[in-house]
Amino acid sequence: MEGSGEEFMKYRSPLVSRYASKEMAYNFSDRKKFTTWRRLWLYLAKAEKELDLPITDAQVSEMESHLEDIDFVMAAEEERKLRHDVMAHVHTFSHCCPTAAPIIHLGATSCYVGDNTDLIMLRDGFDILLPKLARVIDRLANFAEKYAHLPTLGFTHYQPAQLTTVGKRACLWLQDLVMDMRNLQRAREDLRFRGVKGTTGTQASFLQLFQGNHEKVEELDRKVTEMAGFKKSYLVTGQTYSRKVDIDSLCVLASLGATVHKICTDIRLLANLKEIEEPFEKEQIGSSAMPYKRNPMRAERCCSLARHLMALVSDPLQTAAVQWLERTLDDSANRRISLPESFLTADIILSTLQNITEGLVVYPKVIERHIRHELPFMATENIIMAMVKAGGNRQDCHEKIRVLSQQAAAVVKQEGGDNDLLARVRADPYFTPILGQLDDLLDPKTFIGRAPQQVTRFLSEEVRPVLEPYESKMDVKIELEL
């Protein structure tokens, strides 16, 4: 087909082709993967040389000079012949490093490069996500502070309940996100390096290389771990690091997905009420058939992708459960999909949520109108208390209010009219002693309790301290492609 590229002739994951950031897409790219393999082979050679194995400066220098120039065509051809991806790249690396060829991958098993690279990608993936999550928290914190005092209807069972404030509701979202921040930080810090462990994790091949010197084998593991940027390696592994590590990593991402789904569902519900809307571009079309529509498509995207993120955690759970003895290879194909997709999906929903939280639009007059419709019913207890203070009988007053409330509810529900409870109260001579107090009794600010104070304290004690490590990365804006 004229004018169409090769990339349009086969399936492309929308996670990369449509949504993900360049940095996260690169983190799980073939180039990142295979250049990391070469660096790991370099680290191994350097450490082995430092521990007196017969490796020369020339061999190390040759490897260093060819870390990036990978012949992917040759590697693919080698893999077709050998049916082994690691050995294909050993051969490809050896081809451009003929002097170093004899010592590349010396003593190692495939999982030395495979598993250690996965751990590096997981670590780097968390390092991409954490500042993005911090920015979402920062934007929402600013929103919560701005609207800390704006009364709004609270909802339980999606039915009108006592008032809260727009800012206090945002703090419910923030609290979950702060928990996610701590979870992601913990998962990132808990990651260790597989290190240099050999075929079944016993380090037997390295013990042979060092002629039974256990101290040198331990020092080799320590040196390579340090070169790779990790503080610790796992002391025991099979052929692979425990697949429970993948569970830990993907569980915190799935939990983040649940948080984002809840936040964006709330935004969608509030958009239906016309109280809050996500950003909407001047030329954006909400519906091809209904020109007036302002669909919450960013929030819908977040919910859609968050469901995928939550579902992915079942993969590492099942994989870890069936890793027979020292390992079985049925983890490999699954992990090629589930690990990158979890981080790519988390990356996308955080970028989208940042865009949403940077441009949330609040409509105070709509919120005020909704309060007016419901507040008379909520104020009945205040009216009763005022009447009692004025000398009335509580039971008599309760019965009066009950009858008038049911009449007003019938107007709202059966006739589609406005809530006229206050007009009925004003028209009833029984309530004459408190008519001058009615406006004060119905001031929405008297129904929000300590919501503003809770917002102030929560932001100060729980939110702002979490953001301090990311202050230098707060100014990044998201240009969202829809």
Side-chain angles (χ1 to χ4, degrees), residues 367-380:
I367 293 172
E368 184 182 335
R369 185 173 76 243
H370 290 158
I371 290 174
R372 283 201 309 270
H373 288 169
E374 301 293 340
L375 196 59
F377 293 138
M378 297 177 191
T380 54

Side-chain angles (χ1 to χ4, degrees), residues 181-194:
M181 173 67 85
R182 292 177 181 137
N183 288 340
L184 263 67
Q185 289 171 331
R186 177 197 56 76
R188 192 258 186 244
E189 291 305 312
D190 281 353
L191 285 174
R192 297 187 186 187
F193 204 49
R194 179 191 176 272

Side-chain angles (χ1 to χ4, degrees), residues 214-277:
H214 291 270
E215 288 74 18
K216 284 194 172 183
V217 174
E218 289 203 4
E219 184 66 6
L220 177 73
D221 201 358
R222 188 196 65 76
K223 282 179 176 291
V224 174
T225 297
E226 188 177 272
M227 289 181 198
F230 285 82
K231 295 176 183 176
K232 293 182 179 179
S233 66
Y234 297 105
L235 293 180
V236 294
T237 71
Q239 188 169 88
T240 67
Y241 68 79
S242 170
R243 295 313 184 214
K244 283 183 72 67
V245 175
D246 297 343
I247 296 175
D248 279 356
S249 296
L250 269 60
C251 266
V252 299
L253 299 184
S255 183
L256 171 65
T259 297
V260 174
H261 200 294
K262 187 265 193 285
I263 293 170
C264 290
T265 299
D266 284 356
I267 291 171
R268 292 164 67 189
L269 292 170
L270 294 168
N272 172 261
L273 298 175
K274 297 182 174 59
E275 293 190 357
I276 288 180
E277 283 183 344

Side-chain angles (χ1 to χ4, degrees), residues 332-477:
S332 178
N334 184 289
R335 295 174 69 254
R336 288 175 191 267
I337 299 168
S338 61
L339 297 186
E341 285 204 357
S342 291
F343 279 84
L344 288 162
T345 307
D347 176 73
I348 297 157
I349 63 177
L350 284 177
S351 295
T352 309
L353 188 56
Q354 180 184 334
N355 178 265
I356 292 171
T357 53
E358 285 177 345
L360 276 176
V361 182
V362 177
Y363 295 106
K365 293 299 182 183
V366 177
I367 293 172
E368 184 182 335
R369 185 173 76 243
H370 290 158
I371 290 174
R372 283 201 309 270
H373 288 169
E374 301 293 340
L375 196 59
F377 293 138
M378 297 177 191
T380 54
E381 186 66 20
N382 288 10
I383 293 172
I384 292 171
M385 292 300 102
M387 280 297 298
V388 170
K389 287 179 181 178
N393 179 285
R394 185 195 182 283
Q395 279 65 40
D396 292 343
C397 186
H398 184 279
E399 180 61 18
K400 286 275 189 182
I401 285 287
R402 186 188 69 81
V403 171
L404 295 180
S405 295
Q406 290 190 355
Q407 292 170 351
V411 170
V412 172
K413 294 179 180 179
Q414 296 174 21
E415 300 175 21
D418 291 333
N419 188 334
D420 64 357
L421 176 59
L422 291 182
R424 293 175 185 274
V425 168
R426 285 192 170 96
D428 192 322
Y430 177 81
F431 294 101
T432 300
I434 64 163
L435 290 183
Q437 304 175 43
L438 276 182
D439 287 343
D440 290 337
L441 292 175
L442 285 156
D443 182 356
K445 287 186 170 60
T446 65
F447 288 81
I448 60 175
R450 298 191 64 255
Q453 291 75 22
Q454 288 181 354
V455 170
T456 300
R457 184 177 176 189
F458 176 68
L459 295 180
S460 173
E461 295 183 20
E462 299 283 348
V463 178
R464 298 302 181 191
V466 167
L467 299 179
E468 286 177 5
Y470 305 97
E471 287 300 327
S472 64
K473 300 180 180 179
M474 281 298 164
D475 292 336
V476 178
K477 288 282 188 180

Side-chain angles (χ1 to χ4, degrees), residues 125-139:
F126 280 125
D127 287 344
I128 293 169
L129 293 179
L130 283 164
K132 294 191 174 192
L133 178 53
R135 289 196 291 272
V136 170
I137 292 171
D138 175 72
R139 279 36 166 193

